[in-house]
Amino acid sequence: SEKSSLTSYGSEGSLDGAPKLGSNAWYVANADWTEAKEHKNEGRKVPGGAVNNGVHSKLQLLRKMNRDDDDIVNDDVGVIVQTTGIDLSPTRALYAENARNVCIVFTDIVGFSRISMDIEPLKVMDMLQNLFNRFDELCDLHGVMKLETIGDAYICATNLLEDDDDDGEEENDRVQDAAIRALAIAKDMVCEARNVSIPSPVGGGGMHDAWIGQNAAEFETLEIRVGIHCGDVTCGVLGQKMPKFMACGTAVNMAARMEQTSLPSMIRTTREFYDLVGDAEENWLKKEVIQLKNMGEVSTYLLDPILSYNSFE
């Protein structure tokens, strides 16, 4: 479609008569998004004898890129792509596209640097694994796409690489649904983080122990900050070593700023996101205009998910 076109590089080809390359890198080199959608219901054979029933989804296309044709057993392999058989250009993205009205959710751990100062590295990794695994499960529950983790930050999105024309849903309704799912996972993330214990410091004592002692009620378990924004992004696959799907743009930066200016166990959103979900949530604490470097004054809204959940009890 015009608003979600896929730009791919490589020799010309079609889904028929695909060569055997040892990986699904062939899809990137030869299948463009429009052609893939045309064949989505035809059950055409592809390398390895698999039936091409899933190429109509761009996310599934990325997944096919990341698994061997002879071993198509796992539909949830993520978005780090395999490029066997492709002559990558050092100056062009493997593919790139613009996506509209993407809801970006940014989270990070409150006081992570101080928490990890006196903790054994393996314990820090176990703590992050515990937290991020919970977030991964929430992504599955709410239909949210995990983008990446950077240190203690976890980034995910809705309305990115999602099918948008199979059920006749109007764009405004689709975007609002994506925003509601983004807010739902953000609220659950705040609550789940509070179920992850902070490991004991090495040998006791130290700055971490003193910090915990002064703030025991708040920091015996993790807390996160969350920021959300809805806007346009550019996404694609970059890199010759470990090529990886990524998203960038002003919308991503704005979501990050919302997280950075949020408060512990709180969610800060922009006006653009609030306008999509404001009526679906009653427990907004306040509207606040904040000054952001290089972005000027931005109207934001603060939500306490704990208060929101308690109101249902």
Side-chain angles (χ1 to χ4, degrees):
S1 65
E2 181 179 354
K3 65 181 178 181
S4 59
S5 60
L6 180 70
T7 302
S8 59
Y9 301 105
S11 59
E12 294 182 357
S14 68
L15 289 173
D16 293 317
K20 176 64 179 175
L21 290 178
S23 82
N24 274 294
W26 178 85
Y27 287 103
V28 185
N30 297 285
D32 65 38
W33 173 233
T34 302
E35 182 178 15
K37 290 183 67 175
E38 290 175 354
H39 295 303
K40 66 181 180 180
N41 294 319
E42 296 184 17
R44 294 175 180 265
K45 294 289 183 178
V46 297
V51 177
N52 177 31
N53 287 327
V55 185
H56 63 287
S57 164
K58 285 180 285 184
L59 181 55
Q60 291 172 356
L61 178 63
L62 281 171
R63 287 170 175 166
K64 286 179 181 293
M65 290 154 46
N66 194 35
R67 64 191 181 196
D68 291 337
D69 293 316
D70 290 332
D71 189 26
I72 300 181
V73 294
N74 183 2
D75 282 335
D76 191 19
V77 294
V79 291
I80 297 177
V81 301
Q82 175 63 258
T83 57
T84 304
I86 292 183
D87 182 16
L88 289 175
S89 167
T91 59
R92 293 188 298 184
L94 191 61
Y95 89 83
E97 68 169 288
N98 294 319
R100 299 179 59 244
N101 298 318
V102 176
C103 298
I104 306 290
V105 180
F106 254 84
T107 81
D108 84 340
I109 297 173
V110 176
F112 177 74
S113 295
R114 289 203 281 179
I115 289 175
S116 61
M117 187 173 297
D118 290 335
I119 297 177
E120 294 178 12
L122 289 179
K123 288 186 177 181
V124 174
M125 296 303 291
D126 287 344
M127 179 185 71
L128 292 176
Q129 170 68 7
N130 186 359
L131 180 67
F132 291 163
N133 183 63
R134 292 169 184 264
F135 289 176
D136 289 347
E137 292 177 352
L138 290 176
C139 284
D140 291 339
L141 176 66
H142 292 287
V144 175
M145 180 180 179
K146 176 182 179 180
L147 288 178
E148 61 182 323
T149 60
I150 305 174
D152 63 310
Y154 188 103
I155 309 161
C156 56
T158 58
N159 202 34
L160 179 62
L161 300 184
E162 295 180 1
D163 296 327
D164 57 15
D165 58 352
D166 289 339
D167 56 6
E169 187 178 17
E170 293 293 333
E171 181 177 1
N172 290 341
D173 293 338
R174 178 170 52 81
V175 175
Q176 186 175 40
D177 172 75
I180 290 173
R181 285 185 283 123
L183 183 61
I185 192 174
K187 291 164 62 176
D188 284 351
M189 283 171 149
V190 170
C191 295
E192 279 299 322
R194 294 163 70 94
N195 292 325
V196 177
S197 298
I198 298 174
S200 300
V202 178
M207 291 182 62
H208 173 272
D209 197 36
W211 182 53
I212 292 294
Q214 294 171 4
N215 303 275
E218 297 182 38
F219 295 104
E220 289 178 347
T221 59
L222 292 179
E223 285 192 286
I224 62 171
R225 287 181 295 260
V226 184
I228 315 178
H229 177 58
C230 183
D232 300 343
V233 304
T234 298
C235 61
V237 178
L238 299 179
Q240 290 181 289
K241 293 183 178 180
M242 293 183 67
K244 185 177 181 182
F245 177 84
M246 59 87 68
C248 62
T250 302
V252 179
N253 295 337
M254 182 64 78
R257 297 291 187 90
M258 292 299 100
E259 175 271 311
Q260 292 163 5
T261 57
S262 188
L263 301 176
S265 292
M266 300 282 186
I267 301 170
R268 187 182 294 278
T269 78
T270 58
R271 174 65 181 269
E272 290 81 357
F273 183 83
Y274 173 85
D275 286 344
L276 293 169
V277 298
D279 294 339
E281 176 60 56
E282 298 179 352
N283 294 290
W284 297 98
L285 294 181
K286 61 179 178 179
K287 174 183 177 181
E288 186 177 12
V289 178
I290 61 177
Q291 184 75 29
L292 297 179
K293 184 178 179 180
N294 298 327
M295 293 184 175
E297 292 187 344
V298 178
S299 295
T300 70
Y301 294 79
L302 200 63
L303 177 69
D304 182 349
I306 309 302
L307 177 64
S308 180
Y309 283 124
N310 288 343
S311 66
F312 290 99
E313 295 179 356

